[in-house]
Amino acid sequence: MAWAAVLAMVGIGKNQRPEAIFLDAVGTLFGIRGNVGEIYGNFAAQAGVIVDSTQLDQAFMISFSQAPKLNSSLAMGEELVALERAWWESVAAKSFAAVGALGEFPNFSAFFQTLFDHFALADPWYVYEDVQQVLASWQQMGIRLGVLSNFDSRLYPVLEALKLADFFDSVTISTHVGAAKPDPDIFKIALEHYDLEPIQAWHIGDSWSEDVVGAERAGLGAIWLNRTGKSTPRPGVAFKVVTRLTELSL
C-alpha cells in the first residue's frame, strides 16, 4: 500500500497535524543566486582565469552528481570541516579540469578556500519568498521544525546569516551523522530529536530521489516541493506535491 494511503487512513494531513516537520535546505528553504558556474567563474576571473560560466556550470553538475555522498561522521570539529572542504575541492577541481582551466591556477587550493568560505555567507543565497511566512505560522501552531540536509557544516552560519536559524529546534546534517539522504538512517536520527515515530512527522524537500523517496522509505509523510513544475516521477509515492509551501494547509 502506498504511504500516502496509509497516512490518509490515520488522518494525517486531514484531521491531524504532524508533530514535527523536517525541511531540506538548498532548493527548499533557500536557493542559489544565479548558478554555481557563474559564481565559480566570477571568482576565477578575479584570480585571472577566464572560463565559460555555462560550460563550467554543466561540468559542475556532472562532477557533483558523480561524487560519492558526503556523509562521513568519523571526524569532528576542525577535522570534519577539513574533510568537507576536501570533498568540495575535489568536485570543484574536476569541474575546472573538465573545461580545461585547472592548470591555469598557480595554487588551486588557495583559490578554492576563498570560494569555499564564500558559500558560508548570505551573499550567494536567497530565501524563497514563501518560507518565513510559513515557518512562522507553523512555529506559532506549536509544530516542531527541523532542517534535514545533505549539506555540510557551513549550513549553521548560512541559516544564521539568512535569519532562518531561530525557526528550527534541530539541524541534522549528513556529515555529522554518517548517513545521507535517501538513506533512512538520517531520517531516523532526525526523529530522535523529538522522540517521535515516523508517522508523526513530515519531510519536505525539492529532490525526488533524496527527499521524497528517502522520507517515504523511512516512514515519514513525504512532501515534494516541486517549485519548477516537473512531472511527477512516480505517482502515489509522495504524500503531497506542492509548488509552494503556502499550499500546505494545517
Side-chain angles (χ1 to χ4, degrees):
M1 181 182 296
W3 185 240
V6 175
L7 289 169
M9 288 172 63
V10 299
I12 291 181
K14 293 185 177 180
N15 303 316
Q16 181 180 338
R17 290 176 182 168
E19 295 293 325
I21 297 176
F22 298 101
L23 298 100
D24 175 51
V26 182
T28 299
L29 295 172
F30 53 89
I32 191 168
R33 296 185 185 277
N35 60 51
V36 173
E38 292 172 351
I39 296 173
Y40 278 24
N42 288 337
F43 272 81
Q46 293 173 29
V49 178
I50 306 302
V51 296
D52 183 293
S53 62
T54 300
Q55 292 180 1
L56 184 58
D57 190 61
Q58 293 171 347
F60 169 81
M61 295 304 294
I62 294 171
S63 178
F64 180 80
S65 66
Q66 293 177 344
K69 292 290 185 182
L70 181 57
N71 64 353
S72 174
S73 65
L74 301 178
M76 297 177 64
E78 293 183 2
E79 184 181 358
L80 175 59
V81 173
L83 288 174
E84 293 171 339
R85 181 196 175 284
W87 188 93
W88 281 106
E89 182 176 346
S90 175
V91 170
K94 290 177 181 176
S95 303
F96 279 101
V99 297
L102 182 61
E104 297 183 31
F105 293 93
N107 187 334
F108 184 79
S109 289
F111 161 76
F112 180 75
Q113 184 65 59
T114 302
L115 197 57
F116 184 78
D117 293 343
H118 178 69
F119 282 93
L121 306 174
D123 294 354
W125 311 107
Y126 70 95
V127 179
Y128 294 109
E129 62 180 12
D130 56 334
V131 167
Q132 291 186 325
Q133 169 193 345
V134 170
L135 294 181
S137 176
W138 291 344
Q139 194 176 54
Q140 290 171 3
M141 292 178 187
I143 297 171
R144 310 297 298 275
L145 301 175
V147 179
L148 203 169
S149 173
N150 284 356
F151 201 5
D152 56 55
S153 298
R154 291 173 296 174
L155 182 56
Y156 290 107
V158 169
L159 290 173
E160 290 284 354
L162 296 178
K163 297 179 170 50
L164 295 175
D166 289 344
F167 289 111
F168 298 103
D169 304 302
S170 67
V171 177
T172 305
I173 303 173
S174 58
T175 55
H176 291 207
V177 301
K181 295 180 293 185
D183 187 334
D185 284 347
I186 192 172
F187 296 93
K188 295 174 183 176
I189 292 168
L191 286 167
E192 290 174 0
H193 289 290
Y194 309 113
D195 194 25
L196 294 176
E197 296 298 322
I199 203 168
Q200 296 175 284
W202 289 356
H203 176 69
I204 304 170
D206 66 298
S207 170
W208 180 270
S209 60
E210 294 182 353
D211 296 304
V212 176
V213 173
E216 195 272 341
R217 287 176 179 171
L220 287 76
I223 299 176
W224 190 27
L225 182 55
N226 183 17
R227 293 189 183 278
T228 57
K230 299 176 183 176
S231 299
T232 303
R234 192 152 54 94
V237 175
F239 168 42
K240 290 178 180 289
V241 177
V242 297
T243 58
R244 294 172 56 85
L245 292 175
T246 49
E247 295 172 19
L248 290 167
S249 57
L250 292 171

